[in-house]
Amino acid sequence: MHDVTLATEFLHTVPPFNSLATNDLEKLSRRLEAAYYPQDQEIFRSGSSPGLAVIRKGAVRLVDPDHKFLDKRSEGELFGHGIYFHGELKEYIAEAEEDCLLWHLKPDDFTELREQHPLLEEYFSSHLATRLRAAAHVRDSVTQVRDLLKREPVRTDGNTSIVDAARLMSEHNVSSVLVMRDGVLGGIVTDKDLRQRVIAAGVDPLQPICEVMTGSPMTLEADSDIDAALLLMMRENYHHLPVIEDGRPVGLVTAGDILRAQSEHPLRLVRDIHKRQSVDELVRLSRRLPSLFERMVTLGRDVQQIGRMVTHITDAFTIRLIQLAEARLGTPPMHYAWVVFGSQAREEQTARTDQDNGLVLERKADEDEVEYFSHLSEFVCDGLDKLGYVYCPGNIMAMNPKWRVSLPKWKRHFDGWIDEPEPKSVMHSSIFFDMRCVHGRRGLVEELLKHATKRAKTNRIFRRFMAANVLAHRPPIGFFRRFVQEDDGSQSEGLNLKHRGIVPIIDLVRIRALEAGVSHPNTFRRLEEVTARGIVNKGDARSLRDALVLISRIRLAHQAEQMSMGQDPTNFVPPDELSPLMRRNLKAAFMLVVEAQNALAHRYQVH
Amino acid sequence: MIAADLELTGLNAAADQIISVGWTLIDDGRVRLGTNRHVLVTASRTVGSSAAIHELMDNEVAGGVEPGEALSQLFEAAAGRVWVFHHAALDVAFLQRACREWAGMAPPFAVLDTMQIELGWRKRRDQPVKQGDLQLSKLRSDYHLPRYTAHNALVDALATAELLLAIAARLDRKKPLDIAPYLRYA
C-alpha cells in the first residue's frame, strides 16, 4: 500500500480528476488535507478564498449570503471553486448538511493544478454552456464508419500489373485492393473483378491493374453514420466501399462489417413489419422492440437517431395497421390523412409510449363515410394498443369522433385555440402543433399546418399564453440523493426527467418555432430553423440542443437499464442512481433550461 | 500532532515484534495527506514459528528497513509533536521497548488516545459501553467517517487521525481545541 493509495483510489471516481493519470493523482493527493465538520457547522464563507474541497463523506449545503438555498453536494462532489447557480456565478457559503469529511486543496495548490492541466482549467473555469457542449459531444461506441475500420487498406499503384496486384491481395488475404494514382484514390479492384474482367474476359494479367479497375469508386467519409452507409450500400448494391478521411483512403468497409455491427437492425424490423398479414403477427413482432431499443441505447446511437428509429418503427406499425384495415374495409370513400401528435410527430419517441393520433378528412363525411372511418380508426387504435402503444389517456385518438374531422373543421379548432387562449386550448395547442402525417394525403396536413402556423405567428397574445404555460414547468434547482430540491425550498422524491427537463425544452422551442412560422415538428429541426431565421441566436440554440441531448441520453440509458432488468421503462430517475458526472451534467443542463426560460419570460413579459 | 499505528506479530510487548509503522501528521486541525508514511520493518529473527502464516509475512517484511531506521524516521517526524493513537497503551509499550533495544532508553510520550477520550466522554454522560463499542471502525461509523476496507498501519493511523478530528469537533466547537485535559503521559 502506497502512502496516498486511499486518496488516489477515491479521486479516480471523482470528475474531473478521473481524467488524470495515476501519478498526477498521487501528486494531487499529497497536497490534500483532510478536515472534519460536524453537522450544521459553517465550512467557509465565500470570498475567503478557501481553495477547492472534495467531499469524501457526508453532504454540504451551499447557500447565498442571505442564507437562501443554492445547492447541495454529496460524496464525490466538489465545491469551493466558482460555481454557476442558475447560470450565474454567485458568492456562496458552505455549511455541513451532515457530518462531513472533506479534503481541502489550498488556493495556491488549486491554481497550480489548473495551470498544469488544461483540462481541469477548462472544467473549473469555462462557461457553463461550453462545459455542457463538451459533455454532449462525447461520442459513444460504434456510430461512425471509422469505428468499423480494422486495418489500413491494401494499396497499389495503377501501373502495377494485374498479376502483381492479385499476389498482393493474396499476401494480405483481402478481397479487394485500392488503386492509387498520384497519391489519390483512382479506383478499386475486387475478387469479383479479377474473375469477371480478367479471367473470364481473357485479359492478359500482365496488363496494368488500372485497365480493369472500377474507376472513381463511390466512397464513404470516415465520419459518416453507419446507418447512412448501410442504406447507401443496400440501395446501390455495393459490397465494398473505400473510406476516405482528409481526402486519403484510410480503410475499407463491407456491408457485412456493418451488418455485424448491428446484428438486429431496426430497418430489418421495419421490413418485416410490412410483410405481416394480421394484427396477431404484428403483436409477435412487437415483442422484439424492447431488446432492439436496449441494443440501440447500448450501442450508443445518438439521441436524435434513436428518436428517429423508434418513431420509424411506430410509423411502420401504424401504416401496416391502416393497410390491413383498408384491405378489410375496402377503398376509403375519400382522401384522408392519418396524423400523429406529440413525440411520434416530433420523431422523438423513446421506449414505448401511448398513442396520440387523429384523422384529417378531405371534407365533411356523410353517414356511411362516418361509419367507414369509425371502423378504420377503431381497428388501427385497437391494434396499436395490442402492440403496446396503449390508448391515449386524454382520448386524443382517431377513434374519438372529435379528432376525426374534416380539414375545415380542424382549421376552426386551431382558430379557436389561437384566438381564445385559455388553459385547455393552450394545452391542446401544445399537443396539436406537433403534428405529422404518417399515411394518406400529406397535402391535407400541410395545408392545415400552414394555416395554423401562420395564425399563431401573427398572434402574440396566444404565444404569450403558451409562454406562461411553459414557465409553469421549471426544472428542479438541485437534487440530492433520492430527493429533488424545489424552488420553494421543499423537496420531492425522485426526478421525472421528462416533465422536469425534456418537456420544458420542447415547449420552449415550440414557441420560438411558432414565432418564426416554422411548422416542422422535430425539436432539433425547429432549433436549426429558428437559428437560421435569426429568431434565436446560435449559442442559445446550441445550449438548448445540448441540454436536450444530455437529459435525453440519461433518460434513454435509464430506460434501457430498466428494460434489461425486466421492468417497465419510466421517466423517473432517483438522483442517487446517477453517477457524479451525470448529476453534474444534468445540473448544468437544467441551468441552461432555466436561463432560456428566463429569457422567454422576459421576452413575453410573463413572470 | 502525529497519528501513528503499529502492526505487530502479537500482543505481547515483551516478546512480539513490530512489523510495520504507519503515521500521518495533523496540523491546525487538518490531516496532511502528503505526510502519510508507511514503513515496513525487517524482523531481527524469523517472525514466528507458525510457518504457514509467517512464511508469507517474512517475505513481506523482507522489503522493509532495519528497526532502528524505522524508529529514527518515525521519531524524526514526531519531533515536538503530541502522539495520537487508538488504544495507546499497546503501541506505546511496543515503541518504548523498541527504543530501549535500539537506543538504550525511551523518550517520554505525550499522548492523545482516541479510545480513552471517547470512553471518558461516554462515562461522563453515563452512557453504557459495550464490548466492541470503542473499536476504531465502530467509532468511525458512529461519527459518519468513511469505512476503510483495507487495513495496515498507515490506513489505521489515518483512520485514527480522522477520528480525532471528529471527536475534537464534538468536544468543543471552539478552534483550536484545548487538548491539555485529554493529554496522557507515558
Side-chain angles (χ1 to χ4, degrees):
Chain A
M1 168 117 0
H2 203 277
D3 56 345
V4 284
T5 309
L6 270 186
T8 51
E9 274 176 358
F10 186 74
L11 291 178
H12 265 303
T13 68
V14 177
F17 301 125
N18 52 0
S19 60
L20 293 186
T22 303
N23 60 345
D24 288 325
L25 279 184
E26 283 169 4
K27 270 189 229 156
L28 165 63
S29 299
R30 293 197 184 98
R31 305 283 182 89
L32 296 178
E33 298 183 347
Y36 183 88
Y37 299 87
Q39 192 172 20
D40 293 330
Q41 183 170 314
E42 184 174 283
I43 298 165
F44 66 72
R45 291 185 161 272
S46 57
S48 60
S49 186
L52 186 73
V54 182
I55 303 176
R56 174 61 187 86
K57 184 90 198 300
V60 171
R61 181 171 60 229
L62 307 180
V63 297
D64 73 6
D66 300 325
H67 280 262
K68 196 167 155 266
F69 175 86
L70 292 170
D71 198 7
K72 263 185 215 177
R73 310 228 153 168
S74 57
E75 192 167 309
E77 295 186 309
L78 308 172
F79 65 97
H81 56 299
I83 297 178
Y84 286 87
F85 301 97
H86 289 213
E88 215 183 305
L89 203 56
K90 282 186 187 159
E91 299 256 300
Y92 60 93
I93 298 170
E95 301 165 340
E97 172 83 10
E98 297 170 1
D99 292 344
C100 286
L101 185 68
L102 305 181
W103 287 342
H104 291 286
L105 185 65
K106 285 182 178 156
D108 289 352
D109 290 334
F110 183 37
T111 308
E112 196 185 317
L113 181 78
R114 288 164 59 158
E115 282 167 5
Q116 284 169 353
H117 301 281
L119 202 93
L120 298 191
E121 176 59 29
E122 190 177 325
Y123 184 92
F124 286 113
S125 66
S126 64
H127 185 259
L128 187 66
T130 318
R131 266 177 14 206
L132 195 64
R133 193 174 316 149
H137 285 236
V138 174
R139 200 165 57 86
D140 353 58
S141 86
V142 182
T143 57
Q144 294 185 356
V145 166
R146 80 169 84 238
D147 300 316
L148 298 173
L149 299 179
K150 292 185 198 88
R151 59 167 156 191
E152 282 280 301
V154 177
R155 273 173 282 206
T156 187
D157 188 77
N159 296 322
T160 315
S161 68
I162 297 171
V163 66
D164 284 344
R167 281 192 189 123
L168 189 70
M169 289 165 71
S170 300
E171 256 170 54
H172 287 91
N173 195 23
V174 290
S175 58
S176 58
V177 63
L178 300 184
V179 183
M180 303 298 289
R181 276 183 153 169
D182 305 324
V184 297
L185 181 67
I188 182 171
V189 174
T190 67
D191 276 349
K192 196 172 150 196
D193 297 334
L194 293 175
R195 192 171 72 234
Q196 290 184 345
R197 297 182 195 165
V198 181
I199 300 170
V203 169
D204 180 0
L206 294 176
Q207 290 285 312
I209 190 78
C210 60
E211 296 291 319
V212 296
M213 71 182 184
T214 303
S216 322
M218 174 90 72
T219 59
L220 288 168
E221 287 292 327
D223 60 1
S224 341
D225 178 286
I226 53 173
D227 292 311
L230 183 64
L231 280 174
L232 177 74
M233 295 175 102
M234 283 164 82
R235 203 173 61 222
E236 305 291 335
N237 202 21
Y238 288 121
H239 293 283
H240 298 78
L241 282 182
V243 179
I244 305 290
E245 185 161 33
D246 301 329
R248 222 175 51 82
V250 290
L252 203 79
V253 289
T254 67
D257 291 339
I258 298 181
L259 281 172
R260 266 191 299 281
Q262 33 188 201
S263 49
E264 189 171 17
H265 195 275
L267 295 178
R268 195 177 288 177
L269 180 63
V270 169
R271 205 181 53 201
D272 290 348
I273 289 170
H274 286 292
K275 288 187 199 149
R276 295 299 186 266
Q277 297 300 328
S278 72
V279 176
D280 286 345
E281 286 177 49
L282 289 173
V283 169
R284 273 199 294 282
L285 213 57
S286 75
R287 295 195 188 118
R288 272 161 52 186
L289 271 175
S291 69
L292 190 63
F293 176 77
E294 232 183 281
R295 191 183 300 258
M296 282 194 271
V297 177
T298 47
L299 265 180
R301 284 171 197 291
D302 76 54
V303 168
Q304 284 189 61
Q305 212 174 9
I306 291 174
R308 271 203 302 271
M309 290 214 178
V310 174
T311 307
H312 195 41
I313 293 167
T314 312
D315 286 359
F317 276 125
T318 311
I319 292 167
R320 189 66 195 135
L321 283 168
I322 298 169
Q323 289 168 341
L324 291 175
E326 285 184 0
R328 173 185 288 214
L329 298 167
T331 315
M334 66 167 98
H335 288 305
Y336 73 96
W338 184 279
V339 288
V340 295
F341 310 109
S343 62
Q344 190 182 355
R346 292 192 303 269
E347 297 178 271
E348 290 163 14
Q349 284 191 312
T350 62
R352 277 201 257 180
T353 46
D354 49 1
Q355 48 174 307
D356 295 299
N357 46 48
L359 277 189
V360 183
L361 305 178
E362 190 181 19
R363 54 176 163 75
K364 190 169 163 41
D366 65 27
E367 213 168 293
D368 288 347
E369 290 165 342
V370 165
E371 177 92 359
Y372 178 93
F373 286 113
S374 153
H375 285 311
L376 177 117
S377 52
E378 255 168 49
F379 182 91
V380 177
C381 293
D382 289 349
L384 286 170
D385 183 68
K386 282 187 195 139
L387 293 174
Y389 304 99
V390 296
Y391 297 122
C392 168
N395 208 7
I396 295 171
M397 289 184 288
M399 62 192 283
N400 177 352
K402 195 174 175 198
W403 309 122
R404 194 174 68 223
V405 294
S406 68
L407 175 62
K409 185 119 190 230
W410 271 107
K411 284 184 182 169
R412 285 199 298 278
H413 273 320
F414 272 97
D415 293 350
W417 299 327
I418 295 166
D419 297 342
E420 291 158 41
E422 34 100 16
K424 185 150 190 196
S425 61
V426 165
M427 189 198 79
H428 277 144
S429 305
S430 65
I431 297 168
F432 291 107
F433 266 109
D434 298 350
M435 175 190 283
R436 189 167 56 87
C437 173
V438 298
H439 180 85
R441 266 288 149 120
R442 237 158 262 283
L444 294 171
V445 183
E446 276 162 20
E447 194 185 327
L448 174 57
L449 276 175
K450 201 173 149 194
H451 172 88
T453 313
K454 196 172 154 197
R455 206 168 182 108
K457 188 183 175 187
T458 52
N459 192 331
R460 191 182 154 86
I461 294 173
F462 164 71
R463 293 202 312 273
R464 184 161 182 248
F465 265 88
M466 288 193 84
N469 185 50
V470 167
L471 295 171
H473 305 282
R474 295 216 166 225
I477 58 167
F479 37 86
F480 179 73
R481 303 241 165 101
R482 301 198 71 81
F483 298 97
V484 171
Q485 187 69 40
E486 304 295 350
D487 234 342
D488 61 5
S490 69
Q491 291 184 333
S492 49
E493 202 167 334
L495 175 58
N496 188 321
L497 289 176
K498 182 181 171 190
H499 289 135
R500 304 306 296 274
I502 293 170
V503 169
I505 298 175
I506 291 169
D507 284 351
L508 215 147
V509 174
R510 184 185 304 108
I511 293 175
R512 306 313 298 267
L514 290 177
E515 204 174 311
V518 172
S519 64
H520 199 284
N522 180 266
T523 305
F524 295 102
R525 177 80 180 273
R526 280 173 170 169
L527 271 171
E528 279 165 27
E529 302 228 344
V530 294
T531 313
R533 293 177 198 197
I535 299 278
V536 174
N537 81 46
K538 259 193 180 136
D540 291 349
R542 197 145 148 196
S543 294
L544 278 173
R545 197 199 84 93
D546 292 342
L548 181 58
V549 166
L550 264 176
I551 302 170
S552 305
R553 189 183 288 164
I554 291 170
R555 170 166 79 151
L556 283 174
H558 180 68
Q559 291 183 333
E561 197 186 319
Q562 287 179 315
M563 288 165 88
S564 74
M565 295 190 302
Q567 300 165 355
D568 285 335
T570 65
N571 294 307
F572 183 88
V573 183
D576 61 349
E577 283 179 20
L578 300 168
S579 70
L581 185 64
M582 274 175 160
R583 277 205 295 270
R584 183 186 149 87
N585 286 340
L586 206 50
K587 277 182 190 174
F590 284 156
M591 281 177 203
L592 287 178
V593 178
V594 170
E595 270 181 55
Q597 286 187 331
N598 290 344
L600 188 79
H602 184 71
R603 186 176 180 79
Y604 283 100
Q605 297 296 307
V606 280
H607 293 286
Chain B
M1 284 180 270
I2 178 168
D5 186 66
L6 307 177
E7 271 197 281
L8 309 162
T9 56
L11 296 178
N12 182 352
D16 292 316
Q17 308 228 353
I18 299 171
I19 301 172
S20 66
V21 188
W23 70 85
T24 190
L25 304 184
I26 306 170
D27 287 312
D28 303 325
R30 290 183 177 189
V31 184
R32 292 165 53 204
L33 303 194
T35 64
N36 292 355
R37 291 290 180 276
H38 192 215
V39 178
L40 301 178
V41 183
T42 342
S44 50
R45 53 183 180 273
T46 191
V47 167
S49 51
S50 178
I53 302 166
H54 295 302
E55 188 184 346
L56 190 131
M57 258 181 185
D58 283 350
N59 288 338
E60 204 178 334
V61 171
V65 299
E66 291 291 320
E69 171 62 20
L71 285 179
S72 80
Q73 286 186 27
L74 173 65
F75 280 89
E76 195 176 319
R81 293 177 180 270
V82 167
W83 294 86
V84 182
F85 294 106
H86 191 71
H87 187 37
L90 185 72
D91 298 270
V92 171
F94 270 86
L95 284 177
Q96 282 173 329
R97 196 201 87 196
C99 286
R100 278 194 290 273
E101 272 175 21
W102 287 93
M105 59 171 286
F109 285 81
V111 173
L112 289 174
D113 185 338
T114 43
M115 185 192 260
Q116 293 299 332
I117 298 172
E118 179 69 20
L119 180 65
W121 195 86
R122 292 192 183 192
K123 275 185 175 161
R124 284 196 297 280
R125 275 160 194 75
D126 290 326
Q127 287 182 10
V129 178
K130 294 193 305 292
Q131 179 113 35
D133 275 359
L134 296 175
Q135 274 175 11
L136 185 55
S137 59
K138 174 73 172 65
L139 286 180
R140 283 180 61 87
S141 128
D142 290 347
Y143 282 95
H144 305 116
L145 287 164
R147 202 163 76 89
Y148 293 147
T149 45
H151 288 286
N152 65 32
L154 173 59
V155 175
D156 286 347
L158 256 177
T160 305
E162 291 168 354
L163 178 62
L164 178 75
L165 300 188
I167 290 176
R170 189 174 62 183
L171 288 176
D172 194 343
R173 298 259 165 120
K174 284 199 299 288
K175 284 194 168 174
L177 172 71
D178 178 15
I179 60 167
Y182 307 100
L183 270 182
R184 295 290 174 272
Y185 300 90

